[in-house]
Amino acid sequence: MAAMVFEVLTIFPALIEAYTSESIMRRAREKGVVEVFVYDIREFTTDRHRQVDDYPYGGGAGMILKPDPVCRALEHLDRDGEERLKVLLTPAGRVFDQSLAEEYARSRGRILLIAGRYEGVDERIRSFVDEELSIGDYVLTGGELPALVIIDAVTRLLPGAVGDSRSVREESFTTGLLDYPQYTRPPDFRGMKVPEVLLSGNHELIRRWRRKEALRRTLRRRPDLLRKARLDEEDRRLLKEIKEEEQWR
Ligand code: ADE
């Protein structure tokens, strides 16, 4: 199977290399599940000072990413004739979420991520990209962490990237609910006991308990997710039980 490919345009290539050279990302690269190529925007400057940013026209604080080096980098990459989705990371973009991660993972395509700086990028860069993405409503110093967040969230969905693929399929957000509570040994930790049902060996009871606790947690913490989740008959019955239980607390 062809590897999914991520390309990152950044002025801090070492940040991208560092994260993608450890743990799951490292293994996924070694196994050929994903390829990550990092390009230093500074390599595409043509002036003696290799300047990648400049003062904003009209005045104001901060520096703006210049359009020329980014565009030259894009032109250089496009010379290989490959189709690539060009994505600019910016707080002004569409908010990235699990369903977009799934869409990208399914596409198994080639995605180019352009990490801007927080003060901004020259507006004309926007006309060379296909999509603008934000990872949430907060402002970071640059697009490197957002690029890594997207690479990480997509890579772990690719077949072969994570040891036990069940752990990806069954978890939170993929099912539309928050995760149920998990326990490992010991059965009694400082007086806090593992729920009896989990020690019972009764798989049907365990399944139902987990579903109910996932619903309970989502109802309490993220009712917004519950409204969007696909619920069946059993879920609605469990939710009714939960609401009745909670009245007595
Ligand atoms: N650059 C700075 N903050 C960002 C964010 N929240 N998402 C994407 N890119 C950014």
Side-chain angles (χ1 to χ4, degrees):
M1 198 173 337
M4 168 125 203
V5 180
F6 286 104
E7 299 165 321
V8 185
L9 267 186
T10 169
I11 56 175
F12 297 113
L15 292 178
I16 307 299
E17 283 297 349
Y19 186 80
T20 58
S21 302
E22 300 280 351
S23 183
I24 306 252
M25 281 305 310
R26 179 205 189 106
R27 253 199 305 136
R29 288 176 86 175
E30 285 172 356
K31 286 169 72 180
V33 168
V34 68
E35 293 183 274
V36 181
F37 300 104
V38 190
Y39 300 92
D40 187 345
I41 295 171
R42 208 173 293 280
E43 297 293 322
F44 296 91
T45 54
T46 50
D47 62 311
R48 209 157 58 82
H49 297 104
R50 311 184 80 201
Q51 201 181 337
V52 292
D53 53 10
D54 208 340
Y55 296 100
Y57 273 119
M63 300 289 274
I64 306 299
L65 204 59
K66 289 164 66 71
D68 186 61
V70 171
C71 276
R72 293 169 58 88
L74 295 179
E75 282 160 3
H76 171 82
L77 290 172
D78 274 340
R79 253 174 243 139
D80 66 7
E82 299 279 351
E83 280 265 347
R84 48 174 57 77
L85 183 75
K86 300 187 183 84
V87 176
L88 177 67
L89 285 325
T90 159
R94 163 186 175 189
V95 178
F96 179 75
D97 64 6
Q98 190 67 20
S99 66
L100 191 53
E102 282 164 13
E103 191 180 317
Y104 285 169
R106 268 196 306 275
S107 83
R108 223 58 77 63
R110 178 180 289 264
I111 300 182
L112 167 70
L113 300 166
I114 306 166
R117 296 275 84 209
Y118 83 97
E119 297 92 342
V121 303
D122 187 287
E123 187 65 20
R124 291 163 291 187
I125 290 175
R126 297 202 143 93
S127 59
F128 295 91
V129 308
D130 305 304
E131 175 102 82
E132 299 179 33
L133 291 182
S134 163
I135 60 160
D137 291 340
Y138 38 81
V139 182
L140 301 163
T141 57
E144 286 74 17
L145 284 171
L148 288 170
V149 163
I150 291 167
I151 292 171
D152 189 283
V154 174
T155 297
R156 63 185 287 289
L157 297 176
L158 299 172
V162 168
D164 185 347
S165 61
R166 273 179 313 176
S167 64
V168 170
R169 263 206 322 276
E170 287 172 5
E171 80 198 357
S172 142
F173 287 104
T174 306
T175 66
L177 300 179
L178 298 181
D179 269 349
Y180 49 78
Q182 296 267 39
Y183 298 85
T184 185
R185 286 185 291 185
D188 182 334
F189 176 66
R190 303 190 179 182
M192 294 178 278
K193 296 198 173 53
V194 174
E196 204 62 53
V197 56
L198 297 179
L199 313 176
S200 70
N202 184 330
H203 297 298
E204 175 53 20
L205 276 184
I206 292 171
R207 186 197 62 76
R208 198 133 41 94
W209 181 86
R210 285 180 164 169
R211 188 69 186 175
K212 186 171 178 180
E213 295 314 309
L215 286 162
R216 191 194 307 278
R217 181 166 278 182
T218 311
L219 176 69
R220 279 193 190 148
R221 301 189 184 185
R222 294 292 305 276
D224 58 310
L225 292 180
L226 204 52
R227 280 191 289 277
K228 282 183 277 176
R230 278 193 303 275
L231 304 179
D232 61 15
E233 265 308 302
E234 180 186 46
D235 292 330
R236 275 187 281 276
R237 204 169 56 244
L238 292 171
L239 268 173
K240 197 160 161 265
E241 280 177 31
I242 293 165
K243 284 174 183 166
E244 281 162 12
E245 284 162 24
E246 311 259 310
Q247 290 199 318
W248 302 105
R249 276 170 204 276

